[in-house]
Amino acid sequence: MVINSNINNVKTKTIGEIFSKDPKIICRHVDVFYGDKQAIKDVSIDISSREIISFIGPSGCGKSTFLRCLNRMNDTIDTCKVKGTILLDKDDIYDEKIDVVPLRAKIGMVFQKPNPFPKSIYENVAYGPRIHGLSSSKEELDFIVENSLKDSGLWQEVKDRLNSPGTGLSGGQQQRLCIARAIAVSPEIILMDEPCSALDPIATAKIEELINQLGKNYSIVIVTHSMQQAARISQRTAYFHLGELIEVGETKKIFTRPKDKQTEAYISGRIG
Amino acid sequence: MNNNKPKILTANEASKIVESSVIKRRKKDARLKTYGRIAIGLAVSFLIFLFVSIFSKGIPGFFQYYVTLDVYLDRDRLDPKGDLSPVSLYNGDARSIVIESLYKVINPKGRKEKKAAKKIISTNADVRISKMVLDDPNILGKTIPITFAVDDDIDSFLRGYIKRDTPSSERRINDTVIKFVDKLSAENRISYKFSDYILTGSASRSPEIAGIKGAFIGSMLTLAVCFIIAFPLGVATAVYLEEFAPKNRITEIIEVNINNLAAVPSVVFGILGLAIFIGIFGMPRSIPLLGGMVLALMTLPTIIISSRAAIRAVPPSIKDAAYGIGASKLQTIFHHVLPLAMPGMLTGTIIGMAQALGETAPLLMIGMVAFIVDIPGGVTDPGTVLPVQIFMWADFAERMFIQKTSSAIIVLLVFLIFMNAAAVILRKKLERRW
Ligand SMILES: Nc1ncnc2c1ncn2[C@@H]1O[C@H](COP(=O)(O)OP(=O)(O)O)[C@@H](O)[C@H]1O
Ligand SMILES: [Mg+2]
């Protein structure tokens, strides 16, 4: 709502196509500081509706930091300061008038380590709808829980033990429970920070399949350290290095014909 | 090998050196283990000594000697007004009736012997009869056997603390009394059984009828007040300091001071209570409400410190999960942080309360040491507490109070063990919620 006219008129060092025809999130000149230390430097990028975009780059380059800017999870870190503009559907999410509660209901998040609440499976999924008042009756809540668990591919495995603790599931099941918990509040975007790094290959394959499914209905931003994973699931890939967004583009192109030397070095395994 | 030039060891040389050092290390380990065992052994033997000495002294305190007399419950003398009201009964002549039935057994001759005989039965005998009549007026007009506690000196004599062969002038009871007691024994009228008074009686200067009920209830009331004040206040402080307070100079000073307060001698809190609650607010002395407030001051630092540790131990990933789904800070705290921290906070609180239960000094400062016969009915009735009762009894001269002191200590210990068991069970139960 602020900078509509010149929103696509940005000076950036990033190589490749940062713009999208149907942007859901628009980031312009985002800087992030931890105290005096700058973790993200002048990043501009669009994230489209219903696309799966992966963030790759060597560890410590700021992928998580940037991801956490998108739903203002960085607010919970006292020293963290975010500058620049991030628009969700043309609204500045860092505007003073914006409340983080509805924002985070719109932008769900899945973390690196599966972190179900120490409550029952049912309660884990029902928690979000309950605090946001998304259901007016027990039946509605049951319906939401069932649907979310079905969408996350967990329903068949847990439907008989909804009241047993979520922490008693296997790692992969826990992570899918966390995904179910995130989609239970009907978000538009899901942020995932290395969701498979704590899982074995079989569980990883299941989650990847799930992400592919979810990509039809949600925008998904996934941070991953596995280039194969990025190649398998995402339509676009963004390569970060030392806090800068070096290159963005179609995943196929990034992996076969990277334009930037650093990107090429990382992809061919020389950095990282 | 003699040149000092550093060189790389061969595998053989290295393993020899390692082997020789392994022997040394094993010896050191073994020595440390032995020291540890000695220390534990010492601690355990002290503990056993403590328990054995307290229980061997205290268990007899739960029992006492009784004398059984056939009493004719004369309606007119016991209930002069004839309306069976407590006032009428307490005005009655129960004491003389009991003494007369005693005389019938031992037949004292002359004024001197009669006077000596009166000493045998506890002063409480009339109260006992009044109570029996109040409970069941039908016994009036009948002759029934009733057991009365014997006077504490007789009790000590029967226990063998007062010896027969001590010269009469140095004994607390004279030969006449001993003769009467022997006669009662010969007629099988003396019995030794669980005391009617130790658990249900209140404070008294006569040790044979003194009990800890008043002090026990005083302790419960005081602890209740202490908990009601200290727990919410402590938890709220801990939540604020952990989750809301900015990290700056002022909060740092507050933190340091809370930690220091935990080490302040408890008597200081008593002086504080005396100066502020009594001095400025003009609260009455000796009441459990005041005692609870003073003990709350004392336990607050413990509760705050353990609650903060419990809150800090909640995994940040759980908070992330809550924030990530859009929970507000308050929801995150109340739905996730507090329930997970609760076992730790309760454990800290119960430890603090257990300390408070055993506290004497601050309560002496605010006058809970007063001699109060009535059992407190509420937090604003004057009362005393168990440790203070123990302190007072330990100070009395009568032989029987020594046993009662140990008995009261046993009750206090059992109370403490119950509290600690409650802490363990509570923690297990809350933690079992995965
Ligand atoms: N809470 C924090 N406080 C201070 N510095 C941080 C914090 N989190 C991350 N950083 C720093 O920011 C940089 C980027 O970190 P991060 O976003 O976690 O990288 P990535 O996810 O790409 O591995 C790193 O240099 C890291 O040390
Ligand atoms: Mg990371």
Side-chain angles (χ1 to χ4, degrees), chain A residues 32-35 37-40 55-68 74 77-80 112 193-194 223 240 242-243:
Chain A
V32 183
F33 300 84
Y34 290 110
K37 188 172 162 262
Q38 189 162 7
I40 289 291
F55 291 175
I56 61 170
S59 120
C61 66
K63 308 178 294 286
S64 301
T65 302
F66 186 64
L67 189 74
R68 291 163 62 92
N74 283 333
I77 301 167
D78 288 339
T79 55
C80 189
Q112 184 166 357
D193 193 350
E194 305 196 23
V223 171
F240 286 80
L242 293 176

Side-chain angles (χ1 to χ4, degrees), chain B residues 79-99:
Chain B
D79 186 17
K81 282 193 194 147
D83 57 359
L84 285 174
S85 66
V87 182
S88 163
L89 286 171
Y90 288 123
N91 283 332
D93 212 4
R95 176 87 194 154
S96 333
I97 291 182
V98 174
I99 297 293

